[in-house]
Amino acid sequence: MAKQPARILVTGAAGQIGYALVPMIARGIMLGADQPVILHLLDIPPAAEALNGVKMELVDAAFPLLKGVVATTDVVEACTGVNIAVMVGGFPRKEGMERKDVMTKNVSIYRSQASALEKHAAPNCKVLVVANPANTNALILKEFAPSIPEKNITCLTRLDHNRALGQVSERLNVQVSDVKNVIIWGNHSSSQYPDVNHATVKTPSGEKGVRELVADDAWLNGEFISTVQQRGAAIIKARKLSSALSAASSACDHIRDWVLGTPEGTWVSMGVYSDGSYDVPPGLIFSFPVTCQHGEWKIVQGLSIDEFSRKKLNATAEELGEEKALAYSCLS
Amino acid sequence: MAKNPVRVLVTGAAGQIGYAIVPMIARGVMLGPDQPVILHMLGIEPAAEALNGVKMELIDAAFPLLKGVVATTDAQEACKDVNIAIMVGGFPRKEGMERKDVMSKNVSIYKAQASALEKHAASDVKVLVVANPANTNALILKEYAPKIPEKNITCLTRLDHNRALGQISEKLNVHVGDVKNVIIWGNHSSTQYPDVNHATVTTSSEEKPVRELVANDQWLNIEFITTVQQRGAAIIKARKLSSALSAASSACDHIRDWVLGTPKGTWVSMGVYSDGSYGIQKGLIYSFPVTCEKGQWSIVQGLKIDEFSRGKLDATAKELIEEKSLAYSCLN
């Protein structure tokens, strides 16, 4: 085990997603089977005892790759020296809360965490925001951590991307590992646009277009899209709890592909700082198709966008513009 | 991915341990990163919707190794052709319940599941019982599935084994990966005997005995033992929930080492059908030090047992004999 350990921060670590995520990280799923890790776990003081329970279990599991655990309610200690930050902590929406209330709470959290990360994380720290509203929390984080390169601040839409792959695989009765290159455009919300226009399936006779194989545009343009958009709610309805397992797993995929690179011929979806590509207004955290190499993501350029898709891209961009305005109004 | 998928059953799959273990299995933690798997998940009727939620999340996570998911409340369908069976489902102790009541409930569950496994699982199915009382549930399962070779029915004490490694690593401030060959003797209960008399730490120069390095027999013979014995309760106190993460991870270790073999010079602890080794009565499921090769475990023979240890080994055996009688009285 010659590699130096990588320090990985998980905020909100005493919660459901944290509990699913930390054993995945400790087993090398996020950074590879040969990369030792040190976990930094942050949560709020009311969760301190539960957080310590998670630390105890990590010690109890005797993970060979896990070289240390820092479990703390102190954001400075949590952020010190971290190479990767997975921001799961946030204020959940409770019954009776207005969107503005949730936004206000989360905007303050992400503003202060931005500051701590900027001051104490390792240079070139890669940040993944999971807590909702993910895109806007990431945007706030970016705004208040100006010395963190904007390319290092992302949000999770890999869950939606994986959900889309899953839906296509079920529809076509193929292995999910044979489906690729769906795209999630925009906001990790119900305005996201799951796009299969460039998605393919590996068949014995080569790679074929998903749209062609499904041969049901009504489904692809209607039910498929709303199933993926609303999958989070469907999981809550079935489990009475939100999707921790799949969110944690997808967060590992997001980081792994970012750090270790995407396979040749394959792209993934990541919420990244928009640069005007595909006529999406710059200055938003917007989910795009990206490839990754040498630890950097790059938006896949030149994909054709039909009229149906154009409207969807515009709608989700518009929602993100509104969220941005709402967030800024909460800060003033 | 040339290998044929292996079918892995998890009972009680809609619960906490199930939710922690299924993504680990789907990522290859249990059987290796090149071994495709098909998950069979069994839950009881009241948990059917939650179980389906878990299945949905497994699809949503787009695991490359996961070649299928069977989620069912039907024991026959669940057991069909499985190669590995992780029995997590059981009746939990509730406030006010007597030991006899818990035993009674679990004995009927394990009698019924024994029958289903024997009839429908692959003939060489490897069984790991996790649900408490683990040793006795495993014994009941063995008694009512006579066609399943007794060597294929085991219970989980790897969690206690890993906890013991963790406690030593913390005491000596060494990495847990450098500690080995602790032993958990006996029952997965508070009478278990965590024994470090043959445990070693790999330092830069050599392997040194734990007892020598710790240089504190008082601690090793009392506090260390009770800490490991009562760790489950400590986790519940901190988390308000029992140890799912570490139990799931240890179950993966148990199966992985059983199937893929233990590293040279290293043994692990498994609850296995006693054959009279170390003066332990035959016919119990008792935790012993074992090495594994070619898919078979064998008890490490010839280890010195001092007087202190002898007393402990016998006490936990006595408890198992009492549990066995209690279990049999529930069946009549």
Side-chain angles (χ1 to χ4, degrees), chain B residues 66-223:
Chain B
L66 185 59
K67 301 301 181 184
V69 181
V70 174
T72 180
T73 54
D74 179 73
Q76 176 172 327
E77 188 185 2
C79 290
K80 189 145 174 52
D81 297 334
V82 301
N83 308 107
I84 309 235
I86 315 288
M87 318 299 282
V88 178
F91 204 95
R93 176 182 228 136
K94 295 188 177 149
E95 224 174 324
M97 277 178 87
E98 294 284 340
R99 227 172 132 245
K100 192 174 166 64
D101 305 320
V102 187
M103 184 68 78
S104 192
K105 294 261 185 212
N106 279 296
V107 152
S108 344
I109 291 171
Y110 279 84
K111 180 177 179 181
Q113 302 216 316
S115 190
L117 264 181
E118 186 188 50
K119 287 196 186 76
H120 303 290
S123 58
D124 61 350
V125 64
K126 286 178 159 60
V127 183
L128 168 59
V129 176
V130 176
N132 282 318
N135 302 55
T136 302
N137 285 338
L139 191 63
I140 295 300
L141 199 155
K142 180 224 160 284
E143 296 294 317
Y144 286 95
K147 292 206 189 72
I148 299 182
E150 63 199 30
K151 63 186 174 66
N152 281 1
I153 298 173
T154 64
C155 81
L156 188 72
T157 54
R158 183 58 173 271
L159 176 53
D160 314 274
H161 181 103
N162 286 346
R163 285 169 171 167
L165 294 175
Q167 290 303 304
I168 297 297
S169 77
E170 297 235 295
K171 181 76 171 181
L172 293 174
N173 198 25
V174 297
H175 186 247
V176 74
D178 293 330
V179 187
K180 65 177 191 177
N181 294 353
V182 296
I183 303 166
I184 303 294
W185 298 98
N187 198 3
H188 176 65
S189 75
S190 57
T191 68
Q192 62 178 268
Y193 172 44
D195 171 7
V196 301
N197 290 315
H198 308 278
T200 59
V201 177
T202 306
T203 68
S204 45
S205 39
E206 57 188 312
E207 278 175 22
K208 290 195 181 241
V210 162
R211 198 168 274 282
E212 186 188 307
L213 285 172
V214 169
N216 187 344
D217 282 350
Q218 170 95 348
W219 182 81
L220 281 170
N221 293 348
I222 304 173
E223 197 184 320

Side-chain angles (χ1 to χ4, degrees), chain A residues 19 27 29 49-50 56-57 60 63-64 66-67 162-163 170 175 231 238-239 243-246 249 253, chain B residues 19 27 29 49-50 56-57 59-61 63 67 162-163 175 231 235 238-239 243-246 249 253:
Chain A
Y19 197 64
R27 283 283 190 187
I29 288 163
E49 211 189 347
M56 288 163 74
E57 284 211 71
D60 289 352
F63 291 112
L66 185 59
K67 301 298 183 183
N162 286 347
R163 284 169 171 167
E170 294 242 293
Q175 283 302 322
R231 189 65 161 187
R239 297 193 59 235
S243 19
L245 181 163
S246 47
S249 186
D253 289 338
Chain B
Y19 196 64
R27 284 282 190 185
V29 173
E49 209 187 350
M56 288 163 74
E57 283 211 70
I59 291 166
D60 290 352
F63 292 112
K67 301 301 181 184
N162 286 346
R163 285 169 171 167
H175 186 247
R231 188 66 160 187
I235 301 296
R239 298 192 61 236
S243 18
L245 183 162
S246 47
S249 186
D253 289 340

Side-chain angles (χ1 to χ4, degrees), chain A residues 303-321:
Chain A
L303 298 173
S304 64
I305 305 295
D306 64 18
E307 205 186 313
F308 177 88
S309 301
R310 184 76 253 158
K311 290 204 180 75
K312 296 277 184 195
L313 260 75
N314 292 348
T316 187
E318 199 188 322
E319 185 185 61
L320 279 168

Side-chain angles (χ1 to χ4, degrees), chain A residues 34-152:
Chain A
D34 59 347
Q35 176 58 63
V37 297
I38 293 170
L39 272 167
H40 286 222
L41 309 177
L42 175 67
D43 217 304
I44 55 174
E49 211 189 347
L51 187 66
N52 193 50
V54 180
K55 176 176 179 172
M56 288 163 74
E57 284 211 71
L58 288 168
V59 170
D60 289 352
F63 291 112
L65 274 182
L66 185 59
K67 301 298 183 183
V69 182
V70 175
T72 180
T73 54
D74 179 74
V75 70
V76 172
E77 188 186 2
C79 290
T80 298
V82 300
N83 308 107
I84 309 238
V86 186
M87 319 296 282
V88 179
F91 205 94
R93 176 182 228 135
K94 295 183 177 153
E95 223 174 322
M97 275 176 91
E98 295 283 340
R99 227 170 132 245
K100 193 173 168 63
D101 306 320
V102 188
M103 185 67 80
T104 303
K105 295 262 185 212
N106 279 297
V107 153
S108 347
I109 290 171
Y110 278 84
R111 182 181 181 172
S112 67
Q113 300 212 320
S115 191
L117 264 181
E118 185 185 49
K119 289 196 183 79
H120 303 286
N124 207 33
C125 175
K126 286 174 159 59
V127 183
L128 167 60
V129 177
V130 176
N132 282 318
N135 301 55
T136 302
N137 285 338
L139 190 63
I140 296 300
L141 198 155
K142 179 223 162 284
E143 297 294 316
F144 288 94
S147 62
I148 299 182
E150 63 199 31
K151 64 188 174 68
N152 281 2

Side-chain angles (χ1 to χ4, degrees), chain B residues 12 16 111 240 242 255 262 292 317:
Chain B
Q16 303 258 346
K111 180 177 179 181
K240 310 292 180 273
S242 76
I255 296 290
T262 42
C292 302

Side-chain angles (χ1 to χ4, degrees), chain B residues 281-330:
Chain B
Q281 177 174 305
K282 286 186 196 184
L284 299 174
I285 302 276
Y286 190 98
S287 183
F288 285 98
V290 300
T291 52
C292 302
E293 204 184 316
K294 302 202 186 64
Q296 309 248 356
W297 54 264
S298 61
I299 295 173
V300 176
Q301 299 293 345
L303 297 173
K304 215 161 51 66
I305 305 297
D306 64 18
E307 203 185 319
F308 176 88
S309 301
R310 184 77 253 160
K312 297 279 185 194
L313 261 74
D314 291 342
T316 186
K318 181 161 180 271
E319 185 186 56
L320 279 168
I321 293 163
E322 286 165 8
E323 278 192 22
K324 180 175 179 174
S325 306
L326 179 60
Y328 274 85
S329 77
C330 293

